[in-house]
Amino acid sequence: MNNAATDVTTTAQNAAAPYSGAGTDRLALDAVYEIAKTFATAADPIDVVPDILNVLSSFLDLRHAVLALLAEPGAEHGGGVNPYTIAATAFVHDKDADPAEVIPDEVARIVFRSGVPLVSFDLAEEFGPEAVPQRLRGEGQTLVAVPLRDPERSHFVLGVLCAYRSHEDRRAGHSDLDVRVLTMVASLLEQALRFRRRIAKDRERALEDTRRLLQTVREQNGHKVKPVSLEGIIGDSQAIAEVVAQVKRVAPTRTPVLLRGESGTGKELFARAVHTQSDRARKPFVRVNCAALSETLLESELFGHEKGSFTGANALKKGRFELADGGTLFLDEIGEISPTFQSKLLRVLQEGEFERVGGTRTMKVDVRLVAATNRDLEDAVAKGEFRADLYFRICVVPILLPPLRERKGDIRPLAQLFLDKFNDTNGTNVRFAADAFETICKCNFPGNVRELENCVNRAAALSDGEIVLGDELACQQGSCLSAELWRLQEGSSPIGGLAIGRAVTPSVRASAPPPAAPPVERDRGYADPADSFPRRKTANTAREELIAAMEEAGWVQAKAARLLGMTPRQVAYALQKHGIEVRRI
């Protein structure tokens, strides 16, 4: 602990005597004062959070405090299944351990989803003995958890701050005071993070201006830097340049290529680039989406079939292997084919020969294979879901396509390309204002290039004039759900093929934090919410949706809470807030 934290501890010890009993409020005020001073002088607010948590312990006996934050895209953390990481603790813990061993997983998820403070007066009784962290078992514990909101978007919860109080120290009024103090600490941290982000934005803007100035000077001196452009692949980032260099090196060979990357990174575009840069460029380029066909149809599609081989086979049909003879066959989503068909495909790749469905004549072909997947094939091989011999046959030269968030310098030229295409297609002359480009370039785009194209087309189509302003973008209108995608995922289950990384799209619009909500006591009868309503409900739930849930539940608050993904106390607070009178049936 640094000297400042030591001084704070000494201050708390000296103050404890005169402030005992009725002086608890003054101790809380002193604690908040010390915490505010620490945040005001911190270069990185997260780095001083352990000292802040020790202040809570010294002044108010709030022990074993923890700060959990949403995991960064692609970040590895304990167990790999929790969407959050442990950013700071008031105690020493194993950083490689599962976050659920530090903060109860169910508590963290409830606060992340609801955005409302939660109080559990008996953690073991209400959540089960296994929910109590190992270090706290054996003694009764009250848990208080409050949300940490995104400084740029107050409705978005990016963290959970929680602390414990022993049952030996459960004096009257402590829970309400604990919630107020932790909420104030979370608010101070939010303001510190907002200030830090603004400084970072100014620094990025200065670096960008410097880069553009240097580029202008080079161009004036005749040293124009040419962006990478290969068969429609646009970008000047180092990440995309390395991929293009790999494509150019491997294209002239006959070696099979496996394109790996998240959904929307342009795997088919790179597959075409491999084909056009090879000596097979004048031969066919044939594409098959393996995930779109059943095993029977896929066999017929790839190998062809003889007339009368099955019901509906009224004529001979050549398969994609035959059609791609001398050229390139692109097998998209190859990780989705069944184990039975994997063995049939392996023979073709090894021997270069096959028989049509219902035929006996062996066909020989010369095909260059390019495959693509967003699955973890190594994990599939380990689980027996994908044949190891087929894996080694297709994964000779793996090329990993970088997600768009790792090459943000390419977002602007890509956005301009998509905007030009929109104008050409629709006969319009829509342009983006500078602040619109700035907003787009700050997004992480979990859907990658495909999502960027959708974003540009949506903004251009809905624009009131020829110039799209930053405030007209979906993320500024509250209608962009990309930032919420990964929050809706349970464990490691991907949404829509976003299987490698999960991203949070930051917004650039700042808003004041909402008023603190009252603490929520955990309801013992709480169950997982039904699928008929989303799980992100808070006390800000729309009046109409709240009434609809109450009517479906027969005006039983506990049942409505399960439907909305809330606790009964949250529902009661929302009813009171909207002035809804509970009907008696």
Side-chain angles (χ1 to χ4, degrees), residues 317-487:
K317 176 184 177 181
K318 290 185 177 182
R320 300 297 178 94
F321 271 99
E322 280 187 81
L323 296 176
D325 190 20
T328 303
L329 178 64
F330 175 48
L331 297 182
D332 197 7
E333 304 294 351
I334 194 171
E336 305 302 323
I337 61 177
S338 67
T340 303
F341 188 73
Q342 290 173 24
S343 60
K344 299 178 182 179
L345 180 61
L346 179 63
R347 182 200 170 200
V348 184
L349 300 181
Q350 285 179 336
E351 308 298 338
E353 57 185 32
F354 63 94
E355 292 84 31
R356 297 193 188 106
V357 176
T360 57
R361 186 165 64 96
T362 300
M363 315 288 296
K364 293 190 69 70
V365 291
D366 175 21
V367 172
R368 190 327 175 33
L369 178 71
V370 178
T373 184
N374 62 3
R375 286 193 62 189
D376 185 349
L377 290 185
E378 290 77 11
D379 181 64
V381 170
K383 294 179 178 178
E385 299 172 355
F386 199 86
R387 291 179 62 105
D389 44 6
L390 179 59
Y391 167 79
F392 290 117
R393 176 62 61 179
I394 64 175
C395 190
V396 179
V397 178
I399 297 179
L400 180 61
L401 306 185
L404 197 54
R405 61 181 173 273
E406 293 182 6
R407 52 185 186 108
K408 288 197 170 183
D410 298 337
I411 293 180
R412 187 184 182 100
L414 284 170
Q416 186 63 55
L417 172 67
F418 296 140
L419 185 60
D420 293 341
K421 287 184 176 180
F422 178 88
N423 287 330
D424 292 341
T425 303
N426 298 278
T428 56
N429 188 29
V430 179
R431 292 172 294 157
F432 276 175
D435 63 335
F437 269 125
E438 183 180 356
T439 301
I440 289 176
C441 291
K442 290 176 181 177
C443 292
N444 283 329
F445 292 110
N448 296 295
V449 179
R450 184 183 295 118
E451 183 188 356
L452 172 61
E453 183 176 11
N454 293 342
C455 176
V456 171
N457 290 340
R458 179 171 57 242
L462 298 178
S463 176
D464 294 330
E466 290 190 351
I467 299 180
V468 178
L469 303 177
D471 290 341
E472 295 179 322
L473 296 176
C475 59
Q476 301 297 79
Q477 301 283 339
S479 58
C480 180
L481 300 180
S482 296
E484 313 294 335
L485 264 179
W486 80 277
R487 298 184 71 217

Side-chain angles (χ1 to χ4, degrees), residues 506-520:
S507 170
V508 297
R509 180 170 56 181
S511 57
V520 178

Side-chain angles (χ1 to χ4, degrees), residues 144-193:
V144 180
V146 300
L148 178 70
R149 302 183 185 277
D150 191 317
E152 305 281 336
R153 292 182 299 168
S154 59
H155 69 280
F156 185 80
V157 179
L158 61 80
V160 175
L161 178 64
C162 78
Y164 299 84
R165 183 178 294 282
S166 173
H167 283 181
E168 297 177 359
D169 191 27
R170 277 179 53 180
R171 286 168 284 181
H174 254 153
S175 295
D176 291 340
L177 178 64
D178 292 343
V179 171
R180 291 199 302 270
V181 170
L182 288 181
T183 300
M184 285 189 283
V185 172
S187 180
L188 290 171
L189 180 54
E190 291 166 9
Q191 298 303 321
L193 289 174

Side-chain angles (χ1 to χ4, degrees), residues 36-112:
K37 287 197 304 181
T38 304
F39 277 139
T41 57
D44 187 343
I46 299 299
D47 287 344
V48 300
V49 169
D51 296 336
I52 299 304
L53 302 182
N54 285 322
V55 170
L56 295 175
S57 176
S58 299
F59 278 79
L60 301 173
D61 287 329
L62 283 171
R63 304 184 184 277
H64 305 285
V66 176
L67 173 64
L69 297 177
L70 292 180
E72 292 294 331
E76 294 184 4
H77 37 82
V81 297
N82 289 305
Y84 56 88
T85 60
I86 303 303
T89 62
F91 53 89
V92 177
H93 75 287
D94 184 2
K95 294 184 178 181
D96 295 329
D98 191 323
E101 297 180 8
V102 179
I103 178 175
D105 183 65
E106 189 174 358
V107 170
R109 291 179 182 271
I110 288 175
V111 178
F112 270 119

Side-chain angles (χ1 to χ4, degrees), residues 181-253:
V181 170
L182 288 181
T183 300
M184 285 189 283
V185 172
S187 180
L188 290 171
L189 180 54
E190 291 166 9
Q191 298 303 321
L193 289 174
R194 175 180 296 176
F195 180 69
R196 181 189 176 198
R197 285 189 181 182
R198 289 180 177 174
I199 293 177
K201 288 179 183 178
D202 292 340
R203 179 176 178 272
E204 290 176 2
R205 188 178 296 109
L207 291 175
E208 179 65 18
D209 291 342
T210 303
R211 188 187 69 82
R212 291 178 181 174
L213 178 61
L214 291 174
Q215 184 175 350
T216 302
V217 172
R218 292 193 193 100
E219 292 177 356
Q220 292 175 349
N221 294 335
H223 301 290
K224 186 175 180 179
V225 179
K226 295 183 179 180
V228 174
S229 182
L230 178 64
E231 299 299 327
I233 300 171
I234 295 177
D236 57 1
S237 64
Q238 182 64 27
I240 203 68
E242 292 176 357
V243 173
V244 170
Q246 285 181 291
V247 169
K248 289 184 175 181
R249 284 196 299 268
V250 74
T253 70

Side-chain angles (χ1 to χ4, degrees), residues 16-28:
Y19 294 163
S20 60
T24 304
D25 287 343
R26 281 193 66 183
L27 277 174

